[in-house]
Amino acid sequence: MTLQEGLWCWGDRNIGWTLMGNPEAPLAVLLIHGFGANTEHWRFNQPALAALAPTYAIDLLGFGRSDQPRARLKDEPEQPGSVLYGFDLWGQQVADFCRTVIDRPVLLMGNSIGGVVALRAAQLLGDRCCGVVLIDCAQRLMDDKQLATQPAWMAWIRPLLKTMVRQRWLSTTLFRNAARPGVIRSVLKQAYPSGQHVDDALVELLFQPTRRNGAAEAFRGFINLFDDHLAPQLMQHLAVPVDLIWGEQDPWEPLPEAQRWAEQISCVKSINVISGAGHCPHDEAPDRVNPVLLRLLETTNQPQQAT
């Protein structure tokens, strides 16, 4: 099965993407990576899904092979070429890609912050979106709207924290310290509790994009997202079905919260818990996640085949 890679011009920005599978099928899949990742993080999933439908993967603006423009925070003046990183920007990017490149009904699958992006894009796409699959979707516990769920001491330090991370010198220093192979491997060992597939290839695919000149800008934009979309709020107004896949031992996005979503939000149709897996079960345990993804794709595709 061949892999097609390309750059899509979104306004004046270049966006990286890949495609596997028959591009003429009626339904397509779009894979949306999490923070710090890129299209290659779907290395074990895209070929499997492509056997049933054309399967695209996209680099969000600021990541992978996509352009990395200068970050502008909400109260900062506009500068030529700067962007306000956030879920409206990324959601619009995905929706526009679906309309202009994919150009057919699409099933969106997102990991971590890619899940929130998928939900926002689904809102913008309307009936062009057939459904959303969230894989350990970001719960965004540091958002201002989540303050009531945080320890009381957090309210005291938040003003200082928010003031500090605005400083570009500090955000760049934090990024450069984190964007080292040894640190990346250490973080991966937390994210992948079983240690499965934490290898040199994975470290390299995450490390290489951090060496580009603008890589620290997306990091600055993201760590300053203290008031943006939350997944439950987006799902409350979503008409398409949502299915959850969750690593049982995710160290960052607690499983009990995902289970509450499944119980309380009407558009959530199922939750599939991957035992022993962490924040990225699609990459850590693809042998168990791919059958779930294929089943969800087949279920979504049935109405398309019947028309």
Side-chain angles (χ1 to χ4, degrees):
M1 190 174 295
T2 60
L3 173 68
Q4 177 183 343
E5 295 185 297
L7 287 175
W8 167 58
C9 187
W10 185 50
D12 58 350
R13 309 293 183 190
N14 288 318
I15 305 296
W17 59 272
T18 63
L19 165 65
M20 296 185 75
N22 176 12
E24 302 305 320
L27 173 70
V29 174
L30 178 61
L31 305 171
I32 308 169
H33 64 78
F35 178 73
N38 53 69
T39 60
E40 293 186 47
H41 204 209
W42 302 102
R43 54 187 174 159
F44 300 128
N45 319 107
Q46 193 173 11
L49 290 163
L52 295 184
T55 303
Y56 295 79
I58 192 170
D59 286 326
L60 297 176
L61 193 69
F63 301 99
R65 292 177 296 129
S66 291
D67 283 354
Q68 300 171 324
R70 183 178 178 87
R72 175 178 66 84
L73 306 186
K74 283 187 176 180
D75 57 351
E76 291 180 337
E78 291 193 27
Q79 297 182 3
S82 65
V83 300
L84 180 63
Y85 284 103
F87 296 105
D88 284 333
L89 175 80
W90 290 319
Q92 190 66 61
Q93 170 196 330
V94 167
D96 289 346
F97 183 82
C98 290
R99 293 190 183 102
T100 62
V101 178
I102 299 179
D103 193 26
R104 76 202 63 189
V106 64
L107 175 62
L108 301 174
M109 299 181 177
N111 171 233
S112 191
I113 69 163
V116 186
V117 175
L119 292 171
R120 181 65 183 120
Q123 283 189 328
L124 297 171
L125 284 168
D127 59 9
R128 287 174 176 260
C129 178
C130 300
V132 178
V133 179
L134 303 179
I135 304 174
D136 291 72
C137 180
Q139 296 168 12
R140 305 200 55 251
L141 298 177
M142 290 299 291
D143 192 279
D144 290 342
K145 297 182 286 299
Q146 300 270 39
L147 186 57
T149 68
Q150 300 301 304
W153 55 264
M154 181 61 71
W156 292 92
I157 69 168
R158 281 176 73 84
L160 176 61
L161 173 67
K162 292 167 76 171
T163 298
M164 290 179 64
V165 298
R166 291 175 57 88
Q167 311 307 312
R168 182 168 269 106
W169 68 267
L170 178 59
S171 66
T172 300
T173 300
L174 292 173
F175 176 77
R176 291 303 173 196
N177 182 66
R180 294 181 291 157
V183 176
I184 292 171
R185 189 180 295 272
S186 177
V187 172
L188 286 170
K189 288 179 179 179
Q190 297 179 41
Y192 292 51
S194 71
Q196 187 70 21
H197 297 139
V198 178
D199 52 22
D200 291 344
L202 178 59
V203 172
E204 186 67 11
L205 77 84
L206 298 175
F207 172 63
Q208 279 303 320
T210 70
R211 304 181 68 182
R212 298 174 59 198
N213 290 336
E217 290 300 310
F219 179 82
R220 179 179 187 252
F222 178 74
I223 64 174
N224 280 280
L225 291 182
F226 289 104
D227 184 18
D228 209 322
H229 294 293
L230 299 177
Q233 295 176 342
L234 292 170
M235 287 189 283
Q236 292 292 350
H237 305 287
L238 206 59
V240 299
V242 176
D243 295 281
L244 310 180
I245 298 175
W246 225 269
E248 178 190 29
Q249 297 184 27
D250 189 327
W252 304 321
E253 312 298 344
L255 174 59
E257 178 64 15
Q259 293 170 326
R260 279 192 287 271
W261 294 358
E263 293 170 359
Q264 299 174 7
I265 301 175
S266 61
C267 70
V268 178
K269 303 306 179 185
S270 70
I271 180 169
N272 297 269
V273 179
I274 310 301
S275 63
H279 186 60
C280 306
H282 64 292
D283 193 61
E284 183 182 3
D287 57 322
R288 288 181 286 152
V289 172
N290 282 348
V292 179
L293 296 177
L294 290 168
R295 174 172 53 80
L296 295 174
L297 174 55
E298 288 175 331
T299 301
T300 305
N301 203 26
Q302 284 172 2
Q304 298 295 325
Q305 292 174 345
T307 57

